[in-house]
Amino acid sequence: MTPTSLLIFSSLLTRALGVIAPQLPDFQTGDKKVINGPFWHEIFTEIYEEEEDVSTSTLEPLPFFEDEPSTNNVTAQMGTHVHLHCRVHDLGEKTISWVKRKGDDLHLLSFGRHTYSADSRYALAFEQPNDWRLLIQYVSERDEGYYECQISTHPPLVRRIHLTVVVPKVEIVDERGKPLQDKFYKEGSIIELRCLVSEVPEPSRQVSWKHKGRLLNFDTKRGGVSVKSEATGNGALSRLYIANANRNDSGNYTCSLADVATSAVAVHVLRGENPLAMQRGGAATLHSTLIFCAYVS
């Protein structure tokens, strides 16, 4: 074939291909346009369907609470420290906050890792890997109520915890377990006082005895003083013994569980009087005796 014939044949072939496969129109990602010819239609449709599947598979997982509902009720003894736990998975870029609920009012305690309460007893005590703990120190009765751990989703995810504060009970009692206000002893006898501590789920604190503000548990100055304590089902029983009682042993005695609860009794050491008779009359007899003495004088 001569060069001239080859040039004419190429020109005719180019025109024929232009008719068979026209120019493809412009398109954007995500379009599903029908293209002339089954081959191109199948290729481009398959490509863009795959891209759409990739975009939907990258959604961020939602955070969720790990703690069981059974841990939504917490009991603490007054005066102790307590942690309220909030373990969160897949937190991502969301934020944790703690609030205390009083009726319809919410009081912000912490946001993120920062504490916002004016009460210094509250603090955010984060523990790795995912426990956003709220610490309450020296728990008091006013701390009882509902606390909420909130995740900043829309709407917020909330875990509510109820804190119950147990207030210990301290009483100085007689041999029958009844509360005492006054106790009478004859000079030279042994003073024995009993202190019953109850409502103490964690009996880890020492019971202390004082006479006119002086601690007796480790007293060695007077001599003859001893304290014996034993655990009970929900607390403790403490006994104070003072040998060879004298008039200086009269006065107020207190039994205390740390600084949480205290009970007091007035001890009267008598010289010559019958303490049993005074005991039966109790405070009324003492009151009448004092009035009589004042009248005579």
Side-chain angles (χ1 to χ4, degrees), residues 60 86 131 177 269:
E60 182 181 353
C86 184
D131 192 358
V269 178

Short mmCIF file of all heavy atoms in Angstrom, two decimals, residues 60 86 131 177 269:
data_model
loop_
_atom_site.label_atom_id
_atom_site.label_comp_id
_atom_site.label_asym_id
_atom_site.label_seq_id
_atom_site.Cartn_x
_atom_site.Cartn_y
_atom_site.Cartn_z
N GLU A 60 -18.14 6.74 63.26
CA GLU A 60 -17.55 6.63 64.59
C GLU A 60 -18.48 5.84 65.51
O GLU A 60 -19.68 6.14 65.59
CB GLU A 60 -17.32 8.03 65.16
CG GLU A 60 -16.66 8.04 66.52
CD GLU A 60 -16.47 9.44 67.04
OE1 GLU A 60 -16.74 10.40 66.28
OE2 GLU A 60 -16.07 9.59 68.21
N CYS A 86 -17.59 5.53 86.92
CA CYS A 86 -18.24 5.72 85.62
C CYS A 86 -17.25 5.29 84.53
O CYS A 86 -16.41 6.08 84.10
CB CYS A 86 -18.65 7.18 85.43
SG CYS A 86 -19.57 7.47 83.89
N ASP A 131 -12.03 4.87 83.65
CA ASP A 131 -12.92 5.08 84.78
C ASP A 131 -12.89 6.54 85.20
O ASP A 131 -11.92 7.02 85.80
CB ASP A 131 -12.50 4.18 85.95
CG ASP A 131 -13.55 4.14 87.05
OD1 ASP A 131 -14.57 4.84 86.91
OD2 ASP A 131 -13.36 3.40 88.04
N GLY A 177 -28.83 -2.54 128.26
CA GLY A 177 -28.75 -1.96 126.93
C GLY A 177 -29.57 -0.70 126.74
O GLY A 177 -29.74 -0.23 125.61
N VAL A 269 -19.73 10.20 141.78
CA VAL A 269 -19.09 9.36 142.78
C VAL A 269 -19.50 9.89 144.15
O VAL A 269 -19.20 11.05 144.50
CB VAL A 269 -17.56 9.35 142.62
CG1 VAL A 269 -16.92 8.49 143.71
CG2 VAL A 269 -17.18 8.85 141.23
#
